[in-house]
């Protein structure tokens, strides 16, 4: 690396990090100094020597060159873990366009040490057989919480109280009453805040099926030969992916390596974690948003000291400071939550790729409905694809009915529930089986559609749905195209062309009108405001304290309710028309997942998908559980419209306290790109007001840039960053989002 000056971040453990300081590179280090290296620099008035990290090497001086100090020396001992983090932060800053500080805050664990906490553990005082017998006895007495706890204690004689009261949904009163009865004791100790407390691995390994074994062997053989690669495991829910992950992890640990497992927060249920604890005991740790800063720093501390081999968690677990990382697994890799919503807007899949490159680890992606991005790379031969075709336990795939809501209207049924759904709901209630009703609702679904023929108002330029605004206009959130609201359907002339609105509360009310005897639970943003209410509702439903669970997409993820034999999707169209290019993909994923909720045990399942567009390819392929078919059609659309992964797309969001300044800045930036990259065939869409045009009195304008190459978009971003600096705008007012998950 060449350059005469180095921009250096002073060591965070000594100084508050706020910005890089520039130093001269002495002749002896020219050419050998590298970004990420640890150096000693004279700092402050006293020129005290402190450590710092090289962030950037450049030929552009920021100050009067004669006033710049020189780097003193390079700290020997190679690239430390910290330098690794800095390098990663730099990569994130470069690739996603954030400030260095924001990138550093993303990759570095909490810094300050927190004081220790007291840890409670529930210990069984009876034998494992006795515990099991007790669980059956409680079951018979309908004391389901006690039964649940004793059943878990029959598998493992100690359990952390946090898990018991949290994920297992057992109250402290219940624990106390079992303690009084002499079946359990509660112990306390001061430990690192490890949410896991299970000394011995207790689970007998499952004999892998031939398909599972083949996958594990192939990946592991490559690993042993020193090859590092990215793999995609495509398998329906229940096909044995988690079993593959665990076996592979075990073998990789056997090689002295460590593993990170990413699971979306919403799917980090007790059931999933428990399988890992049983298999790996306290060598596994978990990270989630409910942990305090202290608990997080403890986990990272234990990881960097090598006390654990596996870290499980959502996006942020990626930054676990393992010294011997060998494998990263991203389960449900298609999940939108793997993309950060705040700056830097990074995608865990991409950052994982980079971490694996830096640390010499392999990456395994898994999903029942792979993202177009991952599958596209697999098709290109860029990553290896493995498929698990069959469910191992949990019976056959459910029978799916697609109901045409236009026909329901024609035949005089104006209710939210089709006749088929009403019939099946009544049937389940009479049999004492459970149902789930799912309202496919996302944020601002303001699309306008015809109830008679299904026609949806779309942008003629971007082929995404138009959104209805209060002023009566229909607007495209990509390009800003506007048209007046229509009073008659342009296709069939019907006057039933309106905005689509229905809430979960409304559904609950309607449900009780049709089935007054039904016990209904509702789960949505309103009913899960409290910290634990989400777990509570789920455990109530699992305890069969309700017949029907009504909810938003929260209810379709990863939960296993054996008594659910009917799933109703009330309006598949809600997610088909969110006004962005991923709408069909998201719909396919949600419908496939929702369908996967029905008939998980021996009871056969049925699914009703209600829609105004039964012929839509996302609906058709989801009903047939046909991923390949969906992929082909969706990819054709992305190719045609140059949407990712066929091309790359960057959103540029301009924030401003003043509306006119905001739009003017957005236009200036967009024009600058047009001029600078005139020969480059960049497509610029917008600028336009964002779909949420103002938040907290800050105006939001957005434009999109499409180009086949990601690195060209990065250059465009760099150019804009320089523009912003030159013009003296605050850098926080412009945000970049590469291949955004939804429209702004
Ligand atoms: P996925 O992660 O794809 O949803 P899981 O790994 O959770 O699938 O497996 C689904 C069910 O099948 C689980 O109950 C699991 O214990 C069981 N299972 C998985 N692999 C095997 C196997 N080889 N033999 C027996 N049961 C298995
Ligand atoms: Zn119509
Ligand atoms: Zn448009």
């Amino acid at each position: 690396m060449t350059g005469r000056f180095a921009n250096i971040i002073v060591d965070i453990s000594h100084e508050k990090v706020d910005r890089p300081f520039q130093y001269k590179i002495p002749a002896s280090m020219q050419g050998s100094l590298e970004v990420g290296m640890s150096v000693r620099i004279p700092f402050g008035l006293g020129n005290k020597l402190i450590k710092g990290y090289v962030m950037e090497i450049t030929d552009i001086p920021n100050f009067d060159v004669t006033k710049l100090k020189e780097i003193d020396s390079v700290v020997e001992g190679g690239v430390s873990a910290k330098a690794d983090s800095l390098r990663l932060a730099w990569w994130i800053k470069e690739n996603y366009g954030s400030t260095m500080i924001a990138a550093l805050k993303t990759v570095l664990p909490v810094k300050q040490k927190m004081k220790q906490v007291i840890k409670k553990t529930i210990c069984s005082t009876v034998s494992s057989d006795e515990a099991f017998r007790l669980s059956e006895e409680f079951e018979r007495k309908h004391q389901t919480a006690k039964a649940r706890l004793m059943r878990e204690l029959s598998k493992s004689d100690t359990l952390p109280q946090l898990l018991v009261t949290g994920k297992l949904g057992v109250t402290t009163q219940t624990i106390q009453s079992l303690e009084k009865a002499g079946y359990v004791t509660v112990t306390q100790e001061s430990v690192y805040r490890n949410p896991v407390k299970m000394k011995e691995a207790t689970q007998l390994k499952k004999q892998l099926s031939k398909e599972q074994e083949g996958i594990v062997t192939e990946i592991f053989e490559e690993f042993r030969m020193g090859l590092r690669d990215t793999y995609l495991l495509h398998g329906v829910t229940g096909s044995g992916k988690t079993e593959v992950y665990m076996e592979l992890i075990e073998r990789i640990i056997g090689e002295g390596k460590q593993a990170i497992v990413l699971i979306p927060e919403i799917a980090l249920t007790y059931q999933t974690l428990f399988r890992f604890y049983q298999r790996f005991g306290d060598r596994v740790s978990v990270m989630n948003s409910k942990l305090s800063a202290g608990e997080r720093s403890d986990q990272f501390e234990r990881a960097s000291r090598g006390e654990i081999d596996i870290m499980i968690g959502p996006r942020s677990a990626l930054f676990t400071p393992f010294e011997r990382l060998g494998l990263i697994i991203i389960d449900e890799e298609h999940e939108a939550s793997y993309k950060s919503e705040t700056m830097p807007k990074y995608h865990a899949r991409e950052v994982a790729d980079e971490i694996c490159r830096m640390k010499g680890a392999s990456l395994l992606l898994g999903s029942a409905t792979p993202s177009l991005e991952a599958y596209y790379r697999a098709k290109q031969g860029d990553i290896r694809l493995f498929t698990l075709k069959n469910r191992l336990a949990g019976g056959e795939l459910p029978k799916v009915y697609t109901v045409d809501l236009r026909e329901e209207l024609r035949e005089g049924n104006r209710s939210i529930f089709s006749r088929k759904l009403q019939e099946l709901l009544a049937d389940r209630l009479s049999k004492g089986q459970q149902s789930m009703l799912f309202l496919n609702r996302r944020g601002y679904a303001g699309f306008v559609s015809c109830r008679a023929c299904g026609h949806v108002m779309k942008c003629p330029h971007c082929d995404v749905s138009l959104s209805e605004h209060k002023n009566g206009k229909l607007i495209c959130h990509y390009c800003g195209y506007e048209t007046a609201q229509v009073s008659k359907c342009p296709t069939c002339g019907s006057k039933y062309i309106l905005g689509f609105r229905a809430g979960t509360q409304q559904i609950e009310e309607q449900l009780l009108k049709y089935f007054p005897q039904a016990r209904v639970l509702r789960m949505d943003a309103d009913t899960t405001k409290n910290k634990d209410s989400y777990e509570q509702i789920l455990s109530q439903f699992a305890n069969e304290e309700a017949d029907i669970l009504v909810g938003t997409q929260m209810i379709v993820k990863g939960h296993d309710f054996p008594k659910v034999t009917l799933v109703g999707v009330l309006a598949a169209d809600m997610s088909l028309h969110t006004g962005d290019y991923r709408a069909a993909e998201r719909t396919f994923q949600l419908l496939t997942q929702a369908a996967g909720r029905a008939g998980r045990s021996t009871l056969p399942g049925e699914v009703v998908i209600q829609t105004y567009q039964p012929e839509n390819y996302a609906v058709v392929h989801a009903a047939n559980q046909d991923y390949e078919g969906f992929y082909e059609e969706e990819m054709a659309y992305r190719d045609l419209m140059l949407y990712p992964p066929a091309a790359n797309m960057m959103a540029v969001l301009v924030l401003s306290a003043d509306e006119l300044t905001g739009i003017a800045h957005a236009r200036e930036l967009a024009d600058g790109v047009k001029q600078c990259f005139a020969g480059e065939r960049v497509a610029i869409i917008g600028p336009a007001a964002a779909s949420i045009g103002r938040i907290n009195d800050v105006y939001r304008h957005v434009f999109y840039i499409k180009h086949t190459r990601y690195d060209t978009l990065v250059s465009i971003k760099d150019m804009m960053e320089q523009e912003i600096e030159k013009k003296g705008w605050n850098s926080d007012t412009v945000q970049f989002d590469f291949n955004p998950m939804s429209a702004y």
Side-chain angles (χ1 to χ4, degrees):
M1 225 164 282
T2 60
R4 289 181 299 139
F5 310 102
N7 295 330
I8 292 171
I9 289 260
V10 296
D11 191 326
I12 35 175
S13 60
H14 292 106
E15 290 286 340
K16 199 165 150 261
V17 182
D18 45 26
R19 64 184 176 86
F21 295 86
Q22 199 165 54
Y23 285 82
K24 268 192 285 204
I25 303 175
S28 62
M29 288 178 210
Q30 291 269 347
S32 63
L33 193 72
E34 277 182 43
V35 168
M37 273 188 175
S38 175
V39 290
R40 281 185 206 88
I41 42 172
F43 195 76
L45 287 175
N47 281 335
K48 189 174 152 228
L49 282 187
I50 63 162
K51 275 206 278 183
Y53 292 97
V54 178
M55 301 280 42
E56 189 180 16
I57 294 175
T58 170
D59 264 324
I60 307 164
N62 293 343
F63 300 100
D64 179 355
V65 179
T66 59
K67 289 196 182 134
L68 286 182
K69 298 174 192 172
E70 252 189 12
I71 295 175
D72 178 80
S73 53
V74 172
V75 179
E76 296 306 324
V79 180
S80 70
K82 247 183 214 147
D84 260 7
S85 300
L86 287 169
R87 236 181 230 208
L88 183 62
W90 184 255
W91 184 89
I92 287 176
K93 169 197 155 58
E94 286 282 276
N95 277 273
Y96 299 102
S98 73
T99 59
M100 186 60 195
I101 298 308
L104 270 174
K105 283 190 177 148
T106 303
V107 306
L108 293 179
V110 199
K111 236 21 231 175
Q112 71 275 31
K113 282 275 198 150
M114 303 293 202
K115 69 175 203 294
Q116 296 272 292
V117 289
I118 302 297
K119 171 95 198 169
K120 290 188 178 171
T121 305
I122 317 290
C123 311
S124 172
T125 56
V126 297
S127 72
S128 132
D129 287 348
E130 175 66 4
F132 189 74
R133 196 194 61 72
L134 283 166
S135 79
E136 297 205 306
E137 188 181 320
F138 288 131
E139 193 80 67
R140 271 196 299 280
K141 293 187 196 154
H142 300 289
Q143 297 175 320
T144 54
K146 284 185 185 174
R148 208 158 53 242
L149 178 52
M150 290 316 293
R151 195 161 45 241
E152 293 309 335
L153 283 172
S154 75
K155 296 180 204 158
S156 149
D157 39 278
T158 63
L159 291 171
Q161 167 147 330
L162 248 174
L163 283 174
V164 173
T165 53
K167 304 276 180 193
L168 211 52
V170 177
T171 61
T172 35
Q173 287 96 303
T174 305
I175 297 170
Q176 278 163 4
S177 111
L178 286 172
E179 200 177 10
K180 263 200 205 124
Y183 302 136
V184 305
T185 56
V186 181
T187 62
Q188 296 194 358
E189 58 183 315
S190 169
V191 284
Y192 276 112
R193 279 150 289 209
N194 180 7
V196 184
K197 187 72 193 161
M198 224 179 260
K199 286 183 205 78
E200 296 289 319
T202 52
Q203 196 202 22
L204 288 174
K205 281 204 284 185
K206 290 217 159 57
Q207 178 70 41
L208 292 189
S209 71
K210 235 167 81 199
E211 290 76 22
Q212 288 171 318
E213 180 60 39
I215 295 167
V216 173
T217 307
E218 253 190 81
I219 298 177
F220 184 63
E221 280 311 310
E222 292 201 356
F223 188 87
R224 272 228 308 229
M225 278 159 36
L227 298 174
R228 298 294 182 266
D229 211 341
T230 303
Y231 310 89
L232 172 61
L233 176 52
H234 177 203
V236 294
T237 321
S239 60
K241 296 188 294 298
T242 308
E243 235 27 73
V244 167
Y245 303 155
M246 291 197 293
E247 182 61 29
L248 195 56
I249 290 170
E250 188 167 316
R251 293 193 198 174
I252 276 172
I253 291 176
E255 298 289 299
K257 297 288 188 173
Q258 295 159 315
I260 294 171
V261 184
L262 299 192
I263 294 177
E265 178 107 35
I266 202 146
L268 263 179
T269 57
Y270 181 77
Q271 288 167 345
T272 310
L273 293 177
F274 195 70
R275 286 172 69 184
F276 279 89
Y277 301 157
Q278 279 186 312
R279 178 94 172 238
F280 299 104
D282 63 2
R283 299 299 294 177
V284 56
S285 185
V286 60
M287 178 87 32
N288 65 48
S289 64
K290 283 190 189 146
L291 299 186
S292 64
E295 287 170 319
R296 276 163 188 273
S297 92
D298 281 0
Q299 297 320 303
F300 276 167
E301 181 81 359
R302 295 179 72 226
S304 73
R305 282 202 310 242
E307 287 176 19
I308 53 173
D309 299 317
I310 305 165
M311 178 63 88
I312 304 180
R315 202 172 64 219
S316 58
L318 209 46
F319 304 109
T320 307
F322 278 139
E323 293 277 346
R324 294 173 280 112
L325 186 69
L327 177 68
I328 299 180
I329 291 171
I330 305 185
D331 190 31
E332 318 245 18
E333 61 81 28
H334 62 275
E335 275 290 314
S337 63
Y338 285 128
K339 177 90 185 252
S340 167
E341 286 178 346
T342 54
M343 291 293 279
K345 295 180 181 176
Y346 70 94
H347 198 296
R349 200 172 40 224
E350 296 160 1
V351 174
D353 240 341
E354 182 60 20
I355 294 175
C356 285
R357 201 166 18 249
M358 282 172 53
K359 297 201 174 182
S362 285
L363 176 59
L364 172 58
L365 310 171
S367 176
T369 51
S371 63
L372 268 267
E373 279 81 358
Y375 211 72
Y376 179 73
R377 283 181 63 196
K379 287 264 170 173
Q380 305 280 63
D382 195 14
I383 60 183
R384 287 274 293 286
L385 176 66
F386 295 103
T387 312
L388 285 172
K389 293 223 162 54
N390 305 307
R391 272 190 178 181
L392 284 165
E396 294 296 300
L397 289 170
K399 186 166 170 42
V400 182
Y401 307 93
T402 307
V403 176
D404 187 344
L405 288 175
R406 297 169 300 188
E407 207 155 297
E408 294 290 313
L409 181 73
R410 233 172 300 168
E411 294 177 20
N413 177 16
R414 291 187 174 210
S415 101
I416 305 177
F417 311 113
S418 62
R419 288 159 303 173
K420 184 76 191 172
L421 186 56
Q422 290 176 27
E423 173 201 320
L424 293 180
L425 277 171
D427 173 68
R428 295 315 192 267
L429 285 169
S430 73
K431 287 183 185 154
Q433 295 174 0
Q434 290 181 303
S435 307
M436 287 167 89
L437 294 183
F438 166 52
L439 185 68
N440 204 355
R441 184 189 176 80
R442 276 183 52 89
Y444 52 88
F447 73 98
V448 170
S449 69
C450 172
R451 300 290 189 272
C453 79
H455 176 86
V456 173
M457 299 296 291
K458 288 195 167 187
C459 173
H461 309 296
C462 307
D463 203 22
V464 298
S465 314
L466 296 171
S467 295
E468 189 182 28
H469 275 234
K470 286 202 191 76
N471 61 10
K473 292 251 167 67
L474 301 179
I475 296 176
C476 170
H477 287 310
Y478 278 155
C479 71
Y481 168 86
E482 277 190 22
T483 180
Q485 169 64 299
V486 291
S487 53
K488 266 193 195 156
C489 172
T491 306
C492 75
S494 159
K495 61 184 195 311
Y496 289 108
I497 181 156
L498 356 132
F500 200 100
R501 277 180 217 93
T504 39
Q505 199 172 346
Q506 203 185 336
I507 289 160
E508 186 184 16
E509 283 161 15
Q510 290 290 317
L511 202 51
L512 290 171
K513 261 190 212 143
Y514 282 88
F515 306 106
Q517 78 284 18
R519 295 169 305 161
V520 178
L521 276 172
R522 172 160 66 95
M523 181 145 99
D524 53 26
D526 287 337
T527 61
T528 53
K529 278 201 184 105
N530 292 337
K531 205 171 150 215
D532 295 322
S533 44
Y534 174 73
E535 292 285 347
Q536 256 165 29
I537 294 172
L538 290 179
S539 66
Q540 268 176 287
F541 194 58
N543 288 344
E544 294 173 51
E545 288 165 32
D547 306 303
I548 304 173
L549 175 62
V550 178
T552 53
Q553 45 267 30
M554 280 181 197
I555 67 173
V556 299
K557 308 275 162 83
H559 314 296
D560 209 344
F561 303 111
K563 285 276 167 68
V564 171
T565 57
L566 173 64
V567 169
V569 179
L570 292 165
D573 308 70
M574 292 291 263
S575 64
L576 265 183
H577 307 297
T578 46
D580 70 287
Y581 72 87
R582 290 184 197 267
E585 181 180 4
R586 205 157 34 224
T587 303
F588 178 81
Q589 289 163 353
L590 284 169
L591 293 180
T592 310
Q593 275 174 356
R597 295 302 109 212
R600 295 301 300 271
S601 69
T602 44
L603 299 168
E606 289 180 304
V607 178
V608 177
I609 298 176
Q610 304 191 150
T611 173
Y612 290 97
Q613 292 194 332
E615 70 286 351
N616 182 288
Y617 65 99
V619 176
V620 171
H621 293 306
N624 295 333
Q625 309 263 337
D626 176 12
Y627 180 84
E628 278 286 330
F630 171 74
Y631 174 82
E632 293 300 334
E633 281 199 52
E634 180 64 9
M635 216 36 232
Y637 161 70
R638 306 272 177 107
D639 267 329
L640 185 71
M641 300 300 296
L642 278 186
Y643 286 131
N648 287 284
M649 181 163 170
M650 171 170 61
V652 183
L653 180 68
V654 179
L655 305 171
S656 174
D658 175 68
E659 192 173 7
L660 293 176
T661 311
I663 186 75
H665 283 189
R667 285 214 181 98
E668 262 180 72
L669 285 176
D671 288 344
V673 174
K674 246 175 242 164
Q675 277 162 21
C676 256
F677 291 83
E680 273 279 2
R681 292 214 289 158
V682 289
I684 300 181
I685 312 167
S691 62
I692 306 177
R694 188 166 53 156
I695 295 177
N696 281 334
D697 285 325
V698 174
Y699 288 89
R700 296 150 54 89
H701 291 91
V702 64
F703 63 99
Y704 297 86
I705 304 173
K706 288 194 279 194
H707 195 276
T708 45
R709 296 183 60 103
Y710 193 97
D711 52 3
T712 304
L713 289 182
V714 171
S715 313
I716 294 176
K717 181 262 306 171
D718 289 345
M719 187 282 282
M720 279 192 271
E721 279 178 333
Q722 281 167 20
E723 275 306 278
I724 291 162
E725 201 175 317
K726 234 189 282 164
K727 291 175 198 280
W729 302 346
N730 182 345
S731 64
D732 290 345
T733 60
V734 181
Q735 297 189 353
F736 304 99
D737 188 352
F738 288 80
N739 296 334
M741 298 307 278
S742 51
Y744 276 89

